[in-house]
């Protein structure tokens, strides 16, 4: 469905601690919309009062998503702009909003994002771990047995992993990460943008030595860096490419075997066997 340009849902990122990180556009949007849908109105009131914003607030949280989405859609229908905010950072990022966004897309209203702070990216860029590719995982399941399965599924992932965790679970989670992922490089970023912001960089084993961690935290873990075994099928494919380029089979076997440090003889024999099928 085409957007009808009647009304807009603004997805507004708000500070993750330091209120000075609020942007001019964030304040402008929060002042000018008809309604602000908050994860927790009491919590957001601190931000709104600090900036002298008196826009009407309603709640939109995990437990009233369906009902509240309907209410928000009827506001949009009346031509009223709505802003969605969470307690901190981006709405929808380990926070409510996914259902609403989909309903608003289906109904054809405009959606605009207002950029701002996000704990995962703050932690990632300062972690010292690779930033070119990464996976934001968010919270692991609160049940250890489920969390273990989730970590096992991430074990072979070659890129940096980003997790959110609550302080009362952090010690157990770090131990589980060490147990499942092994002793990888990692960084625990705590209380970002706040007075006691700190980074613990080291390995998972070293981070397991930290105790009494309080406040909000993000854990960044190095991806799987172990060398992957190359299958015979892949080696033969690479040989075929070289042969197509004009190399003799024996020379191609030599080139590929040297590159992957495998037996030239075995590779050549496999090639002959493949050709004789
Ligand atoms: N929507 C938020 C965002 O965009 O980052 C995340 C909300 S999620 C419910 C809360 C989790 O984010 C915390 O448990 C913590 O893992 C992380 N977090 C939020 N603020 C943080 C901060 N100032 N320092 C470190 N971690 C933070």
């Amino acid at each position: 469905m085409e957007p009808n340009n009647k009304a807009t849902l603004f997805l507004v990122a708000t500070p993750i601690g330091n209120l000075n990180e609020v942007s001019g556009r964030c304040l402008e949007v929060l002042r000018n919309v008809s309604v602000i849908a908050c994860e927790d109105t009491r919590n957001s009131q601190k931000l709104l009062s600090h900036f002298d914003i008196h826009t009407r607030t309603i709640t939109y949280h995990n437990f009233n998503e369906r009902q509240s989405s309907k209410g928000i859609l009827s506001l949009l229908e009346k031509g009223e702009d709505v802003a969605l905010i969470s307690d901190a950072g981006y709405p929808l990022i380990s926070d409510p909003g996914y259902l609403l966004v989909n309903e608003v897309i289906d109904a054809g209203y405009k959606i605009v994002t207002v950029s701002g702070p996000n704990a995962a990216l703050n932690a990632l860029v300062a972690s010292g771990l690779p930033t070119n590719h990464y996976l934001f995982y968010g919270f692991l399941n609160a049940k250890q047995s489920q969390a273990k399965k989730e970590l096992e599924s991430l074990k072979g992932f070659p890129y940096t992993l980003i997790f959110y965790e609550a302080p009362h679970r952090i010690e157990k989670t770090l131990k589980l990460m060490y147990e499942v992922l092994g002793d990888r490089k990692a960084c625990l970023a705590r209380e970002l943008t706040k007075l006691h912001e700190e980074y613990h960089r080291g390995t998972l084993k070293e981070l397991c030595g930290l105790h009494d961690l309080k406040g909000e935290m993000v854990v960044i873990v190095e991806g799987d860096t172990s060398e992957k075994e190359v299958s015979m099928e892949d080696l033969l494919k690479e040989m075929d490419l070289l042969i197509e380029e004009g190399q003799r089979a024996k020379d191609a076997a030599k080139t590929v075997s040297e590159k992957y440090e495998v037996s030239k003889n075995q590779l050549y024999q496999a090639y002959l066997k493949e050709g004789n099928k």
Side-chain angles (χ1 to χ4, degrees):
M1 204 189 286
E2 281 298 301
N4 58 19
N5 294 326
K6 273 186 195 155
T8 301
L9 171 70
F10 291 92
L11 304 173
V12 183
T14 55
I16 57 169
N18 190 326
L19 291 186
N20 287 333
E21 290 198 337
V22 87
S23 72
R25 188 173 180 223
C26 167
L27 296 179
E28 185 192 330
V29 168
L30 294 181
R31 272 198 190 103
N32 292 334
V33 290
S34 305
V35 174
I36 304 171
C38 313
E39 185 184 1
D40 176 345
T41 46
R42 269 188 306 178
N43 184 73
S44 295
Q45 207 51 55
K46 290 177 213 150
L47 172 82
L48 300 176
S49 305
H50 184 86
F51 290 104
D52 205 21
I53 294 173
H54 302 283
T55 309
R56 180 160 80 93
T57 58
I58 56 170
T59 56
Y60 179 91
H61 49 64
N62 283 330
F63 308 103
N64 74 351
E65 266 187 308
R66 261 172 215 292
Q67 209 191 339
S68 180
S69 287
K70 274 193 200 146
I72 292 170
L73 278 170
S74 60
L75 286 169
L76 294 169
E77 211 168 297
K78 284 188 215 152
E80 299 193 21
D81 290 339
V82 178
L84 176 70
I85 61 176
S86 66
D87 283 350
Y90 274 74
L92 278 85
I93 300 301
S94 296
D95 270 334
Y98 178 74
L99 184 103
L100 175 66
V101 164
N102 278 281
E103 294 202 344
V104 171
I105 291 171
D106 286 348
Y109 294 101
K110 239 167 71 176
I111 298 187
V112 170
T113 313
V114 178
S115 326
N118 164 249
L121 288 181
N122 271 38
L124 173 70
V125 294
S127 68
L129 290 167
T131 54
N132 49 348
H133 304 292
Y134 59 86
L135 174 83
F136 169 69
Y137 197 82
F139 288 99
L140 288 163
N141 197 291
K143 278 195 192 144
Q144 283 266 299
S145 56
Q146 269 308 111
K148 191 173 180 188
K149 280 189 193 153
E150 290 174 333
L151 287 170
E152 273 159 1
S153 74
L154 295 169
K155 196 173 173 183
F157 191 76
Y159 308 125
T160 305
L161 302 165
I162 309 176
F163 299 96
Y164 283 166
E165 192 48 291
H168 64 279
R169 277 200 298 265
I170 190 68
E171 289 192 25
K172 276 189 178 166
T173 301
L174 288 171
K175 281 199 181 83
L176 195 63
M177 285 176 170
Y178 172 53
E179 191 185 308
V180 178
L181 305 176
D183 200 16
R184 301 185 182 187
K185 283 186 196 160
C187 171
L188 186 141
R190 213 177 61 82
E191 293 290 90
L192 296 167
T193 78
K194 302 183 202 175
L195 188 62
H196 299 293
E197 168 167 330
E198 61 176 2
Y199 296 89
H200 296 276
R201 301 181 184 89
T203 67
L204 280 175
K205 192 176 177 188
E206 286 164 355
L207 295 188
C208 285
L210 298 170
H211 300 291
D212 297 324
L213 290 163
K214 293 193 175 66
E216 299 195 277
M217 52 200 74
V218 182
V219 181
I220 312 281
V221 183
E222 184 182 37
D224 179 19
T225 54
S226 61
E227 295 280 321
K228 294 277 175 306
E229 259 190 32
V230 192
S231 70
M232 184 56 83
E233 198 186 338
D234 288 338
L235 296 175
L236 291 173
K237 271 189 200 154
E238 198 153 330
M239 254 188 89
D240 283 340
L241 286 177
L242 295 176
I243 293 167
E244 271 172 39
E245 282 169 14
Q247 278 199 28
R248 289 185 321 149
K250 273 202 167 156
D251 294 335
K254 185 169 183 282
T255 312
V256 175
S257 64
E258 281 173 1
K259 180 172 167 191
Y260 293 98
E261 296 177 3
V262 294
S263 151
K264 181 180 84 183
N265 232 0
Q266 265 180 18
L267 182 58
Y268 187 61
Q269 291 307 322
Y271 170 78
L272 292 179
K273 209 167 139 196
E274 187 78 358
N276 289 336
K277 267 186 191 167

